Amino acid sequence: MGFRKNSWASVWSVEEGRGNTMKVRISTSRKKKDSDEYEQDFSGFCTFIGIAKVKAEKLKPKDRIKLGDVDVTTWYNKEKGTEYVTYKVFDFETSNGSGGSDAPDKSTNSTKNAKKSSGLEDVVEDGDMDDNLPF
């Protein structure tokens, strides 16, 4: 899936970064079309900033995370003749709620939140909403 929003990643290391950041090494993989094997399509150190920094403090190696808001920036150092790439993560969720996710449990709160945001809290009974809706 690569380094993009909503892709799943494996955490390999977590350490303090510069300033108010965490430096986290992650990787993503995708399934090969012709077999049941997976191949790595991204691996690198990412800068976790803001809310992601706070959550990353609880991460451990081998945790699985779903990337939220991310960004990639590049800059060129003219003196060294080198281009640098920075991968930034601003938010993420964990796969099982452990290791730093403060996200609410989807099974209990998503239906209630959807009802509130759509104004259907008094009209729709619990369990009547289709969880596969795109909104």
PDB file of all heavy atoms in Angstrom, residues 100-127:
ATOM      1  N   GLY A 100      -0.666   2.901  22.292  1.00  0.00           N
ATOM      2  CA  GLY A 100      -0.717   4.317  22.013  1.00  0.00           C
ATOM      3  C   GLY A 100      -1.955   4.827  21.333  1.00  0.00           C
ATOM      4  O   GLY A 100      -2.052   5.994  21.046  1.00  0.00           O
ATOM      5  N   SER A 101      -2.907   3.997  21.017  1.00  0.00           N
ATOM      6  CA  SER A 101      -4.095   4.526  20.370  1.00  0.00           C
ATOM      7  C   SER A 101      -5.079   5.023  21.400  1.00  0.00           C
ATOM      8  O   SER A 101      -5.488   4.295  22.285  1.00  0.00           O
ATOM      9  CB  SER A 101      -4.765   3.449  19.519  1.00  0.00           C
ATOM     10  OG  SER A 101      -5.963   3.947  19.002  1.00  0.00           O
ATOM     11  N   ASP A 102      -5.436   6.270  21.277  1.00  0.00           N
ATOM     12  CA  ASP A 102      -6.486   6.825  22.111  1.00  0.00           C
ATOM     13  C   ASP A 102      -7.788   6.886  21.335  1.00  0.00           C
ATOM     14  O   ASP A 102      -8.749   7.507  21.764  1.00  0.00           O
ATOM     15  CB  ASP A 102      -6.102   8.225  22.584  1.00  0.00           C
ATOM     16  CG  ASP A 102      -4.877   8.188  23.486  1.00  0.00           C
ATOM     17  OD1 ASP A 102      -4.697   7.200  24.211  1.00  0.00           O
ATOM     18  OD2 ASP A 102      -4.123   9.158  23.451  1.00  0.00           O
ATOM     19  N   ALA A 103      -7.814   6.255  20.175  1.00  0.00           N
ATOM     20  CA  ALA A 103      -9.019   6.265  19.344  1.00  0.00           C
ATOM     21  C   ALA A 103     -10.102   5.429  20.002  1.00  0.00           C
ATOM     22  O   ALA A 103      -9.835   4.387  20.586  1.00  0.00           O
ATOM     23  CB  ALA A 103      -8.703   5.691  17.960  1.00  0.00           C
ATOM     24  N   PRO A 104     -11.365   5.867  19.906  1.00  0.00           N
ATOM     25  CA  PRO A 104     -12.444   5.090  20.495  1.00  0.00           C
ATOM     26  C   PRO A 104     -12.636   3.764  19.781  1.00  0.00           C
ATOM     27  O   PRO A 104     -12.291   3.634  18.612  1.00  0.00           O
ATOM     28  CB  PRO A 104     -13.681   5.982  20.313  1.00  0.00           C
ATOM     29  CG  PRO A 104     -13.317   6.931  19.242  1.00  0.00           C
ATOM     30  CD  PRO A 104     -11.821   7.067  19.261  1.00  0.00           C
ATOM     31  N   ASP A 105     -13.156   2.811  20.503  1.00  0.00           N
ATOM     32  CA  ASP A 105     -13.456   1.506  19.935  1.00  0.00           C
ATOM     33  C   ASP A 105     -14.543   1.666  18.886  1.00  0.00           C
ATOM     34  O   ASP A 105     -15.639   2.104  19.178  1.00  0.00           O
ATOM     35  CB  ASP A 105     -13.925   0.555  21.052  1.00  0.00           C
ATOM     36  CG  ASP A 105     -14.251  -0.828  20.541  1.00  0.00           C
ATOM     37  OD1 ASP A 105     -13.891  -1.176  19.410  1.00  0.00           O
ATOM     38  OD2 ASP A 105     -14.896  -1.581  21.298  1.00  0.00           O
ATOM     39  N   LYS A 106     -14.255   1.303  17.644  1.00  0.00           N
ATOM     40  CA  LYS A 106     -15.194   1.495  16.547  1.00  0.00           C
ATOM     41  C   LYS A 106     -16.484   0.731  16.739  1.00  0.00           C
ATOM     42  O   LYS A 106     -17.539   1.185  16.360  1.00  0.00           O
ATOM     43  CB  LYS A 106     -14.551   1.059  15.227  1.00  0.00           C
ATOM     44  CG  LYS A 106     -13.463   1.975  14.774  1.00  0.00           C
ATOM     45  CD  LYS A 106     -12.927   1.510  13.452  1.00  0.00           C
ATOM     46  CE  LYS A 106     -11.833   2.421  12.968  1.00  0.00           C
ATOM     47  NZ  LYS A 106     -11.319   2.009  11.684  1.00  0.00           N
ATOM     48  N   SER A 107     -16.410  -0.454  17.325  1.00  0.00           N
ATOM     49  CA  SER A 107     -17.602  -1.286  17.446  1.00  0.00           C
ATOM     50  C   SER A 107     -18.645  -0.679  18.370  1.00  0.00           C
ATOM     51  O   SER A 107     -19.827  -0.928  18.202  1.00  0.00           O
ATOM     52  CB  SER A 107     -17.225  -2.690  17.937  1.00  0.00           C
ATOM     53  OG  SER A 107     -16.667  -2.591  19.231  1.00  0.00           O
ATOM     54  N   THR A 108     -18.239   0.111  19.339  1.00  0.00           N
ATOM     55  CA  THR A 108     -19.210   0.670  20.270  1.00  0.00           C
ATOM     56  C   THR A 108     -19.575   2.109  19.983  1.00  0.00           C
ATOM     57  O   THR A 108     -20.685   2.525  20.253  1.00  0.00           O
ATOM     58  CB  THR A 108     -18.680   0.590  21.717  1.00  0.00           C
ATOM     59  OG1 THR A 108     -17.450   1.295  21.782  1.00  0.00           O
ATOM     60  CG2 THR A 108     -18.512  -0.837  22.158  1.00  0.00           C
ATOM     61  N   ASN A 109     -18.660   2.873  19.413  1.00  0.00           N
ATOM     62  CA  ASN A 109     -18.911   4.302  19.273  1.00  0.00           C
ATOM     63  C   ASN A 109     -19.211   4.768  17.857  1.00  0.00           C
ATOM     64  O   ASN A 109     -19.760   5.834  17.674  1.00  0.00           O
ATOM     65  CB  ASN A 109     -17.723   5.100  19.802  1.00  0.00           C
ATOM     66  CG  ASN A 109     -17.614   4.998  21.301  1.00  0.00           C
ATOM     67  OD1 ASN A 109     -18.617   4.857  21.986  1.00  0.00           O
ATOM     68  ND2 ASN A 109     -16.402   5.061  21.806  1.00  0.00           N
ATOM     69  N   SER A 110     -18.849   4.021  16.820  1.00  0.00           N
ATOM     70  CA  SER A 110     -19.011   4.530  15.464  1.00  0.00           C
ATOM     71  C   SER A 110     -20.472   4.734  15.101  1.00  0.00           C
ATOM     72  O   SER A 110     -20.825   5.708  14.458  1.00  0.00           O
ATOM     73  CB  SER A 110     -18.343   3.606  14.451  1.00  0.00           C
ATOM     74  OG  SER A 110     -18.980   2.360  14.433  1.00  0.00           O
ATOM     75  N   THR A 111     -21.328   3.828  15.511  1.00  0.00           N
ATOM     76  CA  THR A 111     -22.747   3.973  15.197  1.00  0.00           C
ATOM     77  C   THR A 111     -23.331   5.165  15.929  1.00  0.00           C
ATOM     78  O   THR A 111     -24.068   5.959  15.346  1.00  0.00           O
ATOM     79  CB  THR A 111     -23.517   2.689  15.585  1.00  0.00           C
ATOM     80  OG1 THR A 111     -22.922   1.594  14.894  1.00  0.00           O
ATOM     81  CG2 THR A 111     -24.979   2.800  15.221  1.00  0.00           C
ATOM     82  N   LYS A 112     -22.980   5.334  17.192  1.00  0.00           N
ATOM     83  CA  LYS A 112     -23.482   6.467  17.963  1.00  0.00           C
ATOM     84  C   LYS A 112     -22.994   7.781  17.375  1.00  0.00           C
ATOM     85  O   LYS A 112     -23.747   8.732  17.243  1.00  0.00           O
ATOM     86  CB  LYS A 112     -23.046   6.347  19.429  1.00  0.00           C
ATOM     87  CG  LYS A 112     -23.716   5.213  20.160  1.00  0.00           C
ATOM     88  CD  LYS A 112     -23.166   5.092  21.555  1.00  0.00           C
ATOM     89  CE  LYS A 112     -23.731   3.858  22.251  1.00  0.00           C
ATOM     90  NZ  LYS A 112     -23.120   3.660  23.560  1.00  0.00           N
ATOM     91  N   ASN A 113     -21.705   7.845  16.997  1.00  0.00           N
ATOM     92  CA  ASN A 113     -21.157   9.066  16.423  1.00  0.00           C
ATOM     93  C   ASN A 113     -21.796   9.375  15.072  1.00  0.00           C
ATOM     94  O   ASN A 113     -22.052  10.526  14.754  1.00  0.00           O
ATOM     95  CB  ASN A 113     -19.643   8.968  16.268  1.00  0.00           C
ATOM     96  CG  ASN A 113     -18.933   8.979  17.604  1.00  0.00           C
ATOM     97  OD1 ASN A 113     -19.501   9.417  18.605  1.00  0.00           O
ATOM     98  ND2 ASN A 113     -17.716   8.489  17.624  1.00  0.00           N
ATOM     99  N   ALA A 114     -22.045   8.348  14.268  1.00  0.00           N
ATOM    100  CA  ALA A 114     -22.674   8.556  12.970  1.00  0.00           C
ATOM    101  C   ALA A 114     -24.091   9.091  13.144  1.00  0.00           C
ATOM    102  O   ALA A 114     -24.541   9.955  12.403  1.00  0.00           O
ATOM    103  CB  ALA A 114     -22.703   7.254  12.170  1.00  0.00           C
ATOM    104  N   LYS A 115     -24.801   8.581  14.136  1.00  0.00           N
ATOM    105  CA  LYS A 115     -26.156   9.056  14.392  1.00  0.00           C
ATOM    106  C   LYS A 115     -26.149  10.517  14.817  1.00  0.00           C
ATOM    107  O   LYS A 115     -26.958  11.310  14.351  1.00  0.00           O
ATOM    108  CB  LYS A 115     -26.815   8.222  15.496  1.00  0.00           C
ATOM    109  CG  LYS A 115     -27.173   6.822  15.084  1.00  0.00           C
ATOM    110  CD  LYS A 115     -27.758   6.114  16.283  1.00  0.00           C
ATOM    111  CE  LYS A 115     -27.864   4.647  16.082  1.00  0.00           C
ATOM    112  NZ  LYS A 115     -28.358   3.979  17.274  1.00  0.00           N
ATOM    113  N   LYS A 116     -25.223  10.864  15.709  1.00  0.00           N
ATOM    114  CA  LYS A 116     -25.167  12.241  16.196  1.00  0.00           C
ATOM    115  C   LYS A 116     -24.832  13.209  15.073  1.00  0.00           C
ATOM    116  O   LYS A 116     -25.430  14.261  14.952  1.00  0.00           O
ATOM    117  CB  LYS A 116     -24.133  12.367  17.321  1.00  0.00           C
ATOM    118  CG  LYS A 116     -24.600  11.749  18.612  1.00  0.00           C
ATOM    119  CD  LYS A 116     -23.538  11.867  19.675  1.00  0.00           C
ATOM    120  CE  LYS A 116     -23.976  11.166  20.948  1.00  0.00           C
ATOM    121  NZ  LYS A 116     -22.940  11.165  21.954  1.00  0.00           N
ATOM    122  N   SER A 117     -23.847  12.838  14.245  1.00  0.00           N
ATOM    123  CA  SER A 117     -23.425  13.755  13.194  1.00  0.00           C
ATOM    124  C   SER A 117     -24.465  13.878  12.091  1.00  0.00           C
ATOM    125  O   SER A 117     -24.509  14.871  11.396  1.00  0.00           O
ATOM    126  CB  SER A 117     -22.089  13.314  12.597  1.00  0.00           C
ATOM    127  OG  SER A 117     -22.239  12.072  11.954  1.00  0.00           O
ATOM    128  N   SER A 118     -25.313  12.872  11.908  1.00  0.00           N
ATOM    129  CA  SER A 118     -26.315  12.941  10.859  1.00  0.00           C
ATOM    130  C   SER A 118     -27.669  13.398  11.376  1.00  0.00           C
ATOM    131  O   SER A 118     -28.601  13.561  10.605  1.00  0.00           O
ATOM    132  CB  SER A 118     -26.469  11.568  10.198  1.00  0.00           C
ATOM    133  OG  SER A 118     -26.972  10.639  11.141  1.00  0.00           O
ATOM    134  N   GLY A 119     -27.804  13.576  12.693  1.00  0.00           N
ATOM    135  CA  GLY A 119     -29.074  14.000  13.262  1.00  0.00           C
ATOM    136  C   GLY A 119     -30.075  12.871  13.396  1.00  0.00           C
ATOM    137  O   GLY A 119     -31.264  13.098  13.575  1.00  0.00           O
ATOM    138  N   LEU A 120     -29.625  11.623  13.319  1.00  0.00           N
ATOM    139  CA  LEU A 120     -30.517  10.471  13.368  1.00  0.00           C
ATOM    140  C   LEU A 120     -30.574   9.804  14.733  1.00  0.00           C
ATOM    141  O   LEU A 120     -31.129   8.731  14.860  1.00  0.00           O
ATOM    142  CB  LEU A 120     -30.076   9.419  12.338  1.00  0.00           C
ATOM    143  CG  LEU A 120     -30.145   9.839  10.880  1.00  0.00           C
ATOM    144  CD1 LEU A 120     -29.562   8.747  10.016  1.00  0.00           C
ATOM    145  CD2 LEU A 120     -31.571  10.145  10.463  1.00  0.00           C
ATOM    146  N   GLU A 121     -30.033  10.438  15.772  1.00  0.00           N
ATOM    147  CA  GLU A 121     -29.940   9.772  17.059  1.00  0.00           C
ATOM    148  C   GLU A 121     -31.296   9.356  17.615  1.00  0.00           C
ATOM    149  O   GLU A 121     -31.405   8.380  18.336  1.00  0.00           O
ATOM    150  CB  GLU A 121     -29.164  10.606  18.085  1.00  0.00           C
ATOM    151  CG  GLU A 121     -29.782  11.954  18.407  1.00  0.00           C
ATOM    152  CD  GLU A 121     -29.245  13.073  17.533  1.00  0.00           C
ATOM    153  OE1 GLU A 121     -28.673  12.807  16.467  1.00  0.00           O
ATOM    154  OE2 GLU A 121     -29.409  14.222  17.910  1.00  0.00           O
ATOM    155  N   ASP A 122     -32.362  10.062  17.276  1.00  0.00           N
ATOM    156  CA  ASP A 122     -33.690   9.712  17.785  1.00  0.00           C
ATOM    157  C   ASP A 122     -34.461   8.832  16.822  1.00  0.00           C
ATOM    158  O   ASP A 122     -35.463   8.226  17.190  1.00  0.00           O
ATOM    159  CB  ASP A 122     -34.504  10.980  18.066  1.00  0.00           C
ATOM    160  CG  ASP A 122     -33.876  11.819  19.160  1.00  0.00           C
ATOM    161  OD1 ASP A 122     -33.289  11.250  20.088  1.00  0.00           O
ATOM    162  OD2 ASP A 122     -33.972  13.052  19.055  1.00  0.00           O
ATOM    163  N   VAL A 123     -34.010   8.747  15.567  1.00  0.00           N
ATOM    164  CA  VAL A 123     -34.773   8.032  14.548  1.00  0.00           C
ATOM    165  C   VAL A 123     -34.286   6.603  14.373  1.00  0.00           C
ATOM    166  O   VAL A 123     -35.072   5.678  14.234  1.00  0.00           O
ATOM    167  CB  VAL A 123     -34.668   8.785  13.196  1.00  0.00           C
ATOM    168  CG1 VAL A 123     -35.418   8.051  12.112  1.00  0.00           C
ATOM    169  CG2 VAL A 123     -35.207  10.196  13.354  1.00  0.00           C
ATOM    170  N   VAL A 124     -32.988   6.387  14.388  1.00  0.00           N
ATOM    171  CA  VAL A 124     -32.413   5.079  14.110  1.00  0.00           C
ATOM    172  C   VAL A 124     -32.125   4.351  15.409  1.00  0.00           C
ATOM    173  O   VAL A 124     -31.502   4.897  16.309  1.00  0.00           O
ATOM    174  CB  VAL A 124     -31.111   5.232  13.287  1.00  0.00           C
ATOM    175  CG1 VAL A 124     -30.500   3.875  13.016  1.00  0.00           C
ATOM    176  CG2 VAL A 124     -31.387   5.967  12.007  1.00  0.00           C
ATOM    177  N   GLU A 125     -32.558   3.115  15.509  1.00  0.00           N
ATOM    178  CA  GLU A 125     -32.280   2.286  16.676  1.00  0.00           C
ATOM    179  C   GLU A 125     -30.887   1.691  16.539  1.00  0.00           C
ATOM    180  O   GLU A 125     -30.375   1.528  15.433  1.00  0.00           O
ATOM    181  CB  GLU A 125     -33.307   1.152  16.771  1.00  0.00           C
ATOM    182  CG  GLU A 125     -34.720   1.625  17.022  1.00  0.00           C
ATOM    183  CD  GLU A 125     -34.872   2.300  18.370  1.00  0.00           C
ATOM    184  OE1 GLU A 125     -34.270   1.830  19.339  1.00  0.00           O
ATOM    185  OE2 GLU A 125     -35.576   3.311  18.438  1.00  0.00           O
ATOM    186  N   ASP A 126     -30.255   1.344  17.672  1.00  0.00           N
ATOM    187  CA  ASP A 126     -28.940   0.702  17.630  1.00  0.00           C
ATOM    188  C   ASP A 126     -28.989  -0.541  16.766  1.00  0.00           C
ATOM    189  O   ASP A 126     -29.883  -1.351  16.855  1.00  0.00           O
ATOM    190  CB  ASP A 126     -28.481   0.297  19.036  1.00  0.00           C
ATOM    191  CG  ASP A 126     -27.779   1.430  19.747  1.00  0.00           C
ATOM    192  OD1 ASP A 126     -27.374   2.389  19.059  1.00  0.00           O
ATOM    193  OD2 ASP A 126     -27.637   1.363  20.968  1.00  0.00           O
ATOM    194  N   GLY A 127     -27.963  -0.707  15.916  1.00  0.00           N
ATOM    195  CA  GLY A 127     -27.860  -1.895  15.075  1.00  0.00           C
ATOM    196  C   GLY A 127     -28.572  -1.749  13.747  1.00  0.00           C
ATOM    197  O   GLY A 127     -28.468  -2.618  12.899  1.00  0.00           O
TER     198      GLY A 127
END
